[in-house]
Amino acid sequence: MAAITMRNVVKQYGDGFPAVNDINLDIADGEFVILVGPSGCGKSTLLRMIVGLEDITSGDLFIGDTRVNEKAPRDRNLAMVFQNYALYPHLTVFENIAFPLRLQKLDDAEIERRVHGAAELLELVEHLGRKPANLSGGQRQRVAMGRAIVRQAQAFLFDEPLSNLDAKLRGQMRTEIARLQKRLGITTVYVTHDQVEAMTLGDRVAVLRKGILQQVASPRELYREP
Ligand code: ADP
Ligand code: ADP
């Protein structure tokens, strides 16, 4: 069974050309899929439909074997990691990671247990008392992923998480994300318009053009020399 399944998924804003047009895609459990294509091709729209921030005009979206078209974001158990990481500057790393668990009103012992588990996995234990301003870009990224891990989300969704960084940091973060994704084994959908990220990060690359899924292949197949 696929982790995420899209069947004839369409998004139509107003009465223009569909932003996303008849997408069929199965994403396997633990798979890392890159969604690539030029600006305006529908990448964000597709990601936002998966996470539930945008309604689907027609077609079906499944997470596991559950159809989630009408489910609220909170009931989809997915974790979106944004470009700016959306960390709370006034909270410590511990409280930033614990935040979704506080909302769920888990007891302190369980929160402590989960946050420490995630911090160990992400090598953040010695930074738990710090504020985001005192962290490197890579550490902030890991805190954002920690917040997703403690929620025991079924998948990570990244929307161009590296596009605001300089080239050097972007390279480091690319390596870091690839390493963590393999270690965690969590299903990941990653939107980018960066060819290098598309070539190096994922198990498969899905190429979008004007809302249409043009090609889905491994980076090796897609980018091999002619
Ligand atoms: P990408 O993420 O690949 O840049 P988007 O998903 O943001 O592409 O946009 C796909 C198309 O849908 C574009 O033509 C864009 O102008 C249009 N679009 C995106 N969001 C909206 C919206 N809220 N209302 C109307 N049109 C939108
Ligand atoms: P509410 O709608 O309850 O006031 P939010 O809109 O902040 O609160 O979040 C509601 C639920 O949506 C959260 O419990 C969470 O499951 C989900 N959610 C919020 N942000 C994200 C995100 N970045 N990625 C995935 N799911 C999210």
Side-chain angles (χ1 to χ4, degrees):
M1 185 182 60
I4 299 171
T5 306
M6 289 163 242
R7 286 282 170 268
N8 308 108
V9 168
V10 173
K11 178 68 187 188
Q12 178 109 34
Y13 294 109
D15 51 4
F17 194 79
V20 164
N21 200 349
D22 201 24
I23 300 288
N24 287 286
L25 184 62
D26 287 17
I27 298 174
D29 213 16
E31 192 177 22
F32 194 159
V33 171
I34 306 289
L35 211 51
V36 73
S39 180
C41 71
K43 304 183 294 297
S44 281
T45 297
L46 191 54
L47 203 68
R48 291 167 60 79
M49 286 194 287
I50 295 171
V51 82
L53 298 173
E54 200 74 73
D55 287 338
I56 295 171
T57 305
S58 65
D60 298 298
L61 175 68
F62 297 88
I63 296 173
D65 54 10
T66 308
R67 184 177 180 275
V68 299
N69 286 48
E70 279 85 34
K71 280 195 191 291
R74 73 175 68 84
D75 298 324
R76 297 189 186 199
N77 199 22
L78 304 174
M80 185 104 150
V81 181
F82 293 101
Q83 209 173 78
N84 54 10
Y85 314 140
L87 301 182
Y88 299 103
H90 58 293
L91 297 181
T92 61
V93 168
F94 183 99
E95 287 303 331
N96 264 287
I97 296 175
F99 196 80
L101 306 182
R102 301 261 184 236
L103 289 182
Q104 289 174 23
K105 308 221 185 317
L106 295 191
D107 67 56
D108 286 348
E110 177 65 11
I111 290 177
E112 185 83 20
R113 199 181 65 75
R114 287 209 206 168
V115 172
H116 272 278
E120 258 167 41
L121 205 57
L122 298 166
E123 294 160 21
L124 285 171
V125 175
E126 66 270 41
H127 305 299
L128 284 173
R130 291 199 183 176
K131 300 272 175 68
N134 304 317
L135 300 176
S136 70
Q139 289 164 343
R140 280 181 214 165
Q141 173 85 63
R142 279 183 272 149
V143 175
M145 292 171 86
R147 191 188 279 168
I149 292 167
V150 292
R151 284 176 44 212
Q152 302 174 334
Q154 294 193 34
F156 285 158
L157 305 170
F158 289 90
D159 194 359
E160 310 218 17
L162 309 184
S163 60
N164 284 339
L165 306 178
D166 65 50
K168 179 157 172 275
L169 188 54
R170 203 156 57 224
Q172 289 169 5
M173 300 291 298
R174 236 184 0 248
T175 311
E176 178 112 332
I177 288 174
R179 188 177 66 91
L180 276 173
Q181 198 276 342
K182 281 287 160 280
R183 175 125 69 105
L184 300 172
I186 186 165
T187 308
T188 302
V189 184
Y190 185 109
V191 162
T192 185
H193 61 265
D194 183 306
Q195 292 292 322
V196 180
E197 288 176 28
M199 274 188 293
T200 55
L201 272 175
D203 299 315
R204 277 195 304 163
V205 182
V207 184
L208 267 180
R209 286 266 185 279
K210 298 181 178 167
I212 292 167
L213 199 53
Q214 231 184 18
Q215 206 173 0
V216 186
S218 70
R220 186 190 294 258
E221 289 167 322
L222 207 56
Y223 296 106
R224 75 176 157 218
E225 303 293 329

